[in-house]
Amino acid sequence: MLFFCLQIISASAQKIEGTVYDSIGKVLPFASILIKGTPKGVSANKEGYFSFNLRPGVYTLVCHYVGYTSAEKTIILSSTDVSLNFNLNIQKLTLKEVVVQQGGEDPAYQIIRQ
């Protein structure tokens, strides 16, 4: 009886699997892949591979990796497994100009006085 119940449970879940790459095709190990709007998520392994077992439905997957822009993909999961890869771009940040002036006060002193 237990074996039969386990077969029913596993038959109702489909597999989403894929790999996380950067923009030039290099694997990004240990990236985070989350299901938007839920607490569910997985980490990719050292080869960038990840997999989920989910019930059929519509899901938005969000992929994060430090130093790269996040990516979202929406999928419709039906009765077949889905293969889904992410290609992330390097995140470019621009900092404001820093001006060094002679005789200026260390900003830490103002914080200490308060």
Side-chain angles (χ1 to χ4, degrees):
M1 179 69 173
L2 179 62
F3 179 70
F4 179 71
C5 290
L6 290 175
Q7 283 184 328
I8 291 173
I9 291 170
S10 66
S12 67
Q14 301 306 318
K15 187 176 190 179
I16 301 172
E17 64 181 348
T19 306
V20 182
Y21 300 99
D22 69 5
S23 58
I24 59 172
K26 181 182 166 192
V27 170
L28 295 176
F30 309 111
S32 298
I33 301 89
L34 307 170
I35 300 173
K36 191 173 187 175
T38 73
K40 295 179 182 179
V42 296
S43 291
N45 66 12
K46 67 181 180 178
E47 286 87 30
Y49 174 80
F50 67 92
S51 69
F52 284 98
N53 286 318
L54 298 170
R55 292 188 175 149
V58 178
Y59 298 97
T60 300
L61 276 65
V62 183
C63 183
H64 300 283
Y65 194 81
V66 175
Y68 289 78
T69 56
S70 298
E72 289 188 12
K73 291 190 179 186
T74 301
I75 60 161
I76 299 171
L77 191 59
S78 58
S79 60
T80 59
D81 295 344
V82 173
S83 180
L84 177 73
N85 293 330
F86 282 96
N87 292 359
L88 304 182
N89 295 314
I90 292 177
Q91 185 174 26
K92 297 176 183 176
L93 299 175
T94 305
L95 300 176
K96 293 181 180 179
E97 180 179 301
V98 176
V99 179
V100 179
Q101 297 178 349
Q102 185 177 2
E105 181 182 51
D106 187 336
Y109 290 133
Q110 182 180 3
I111 295 170
I112 294 170
R113 283 193 292 269
Q114 292 175 357

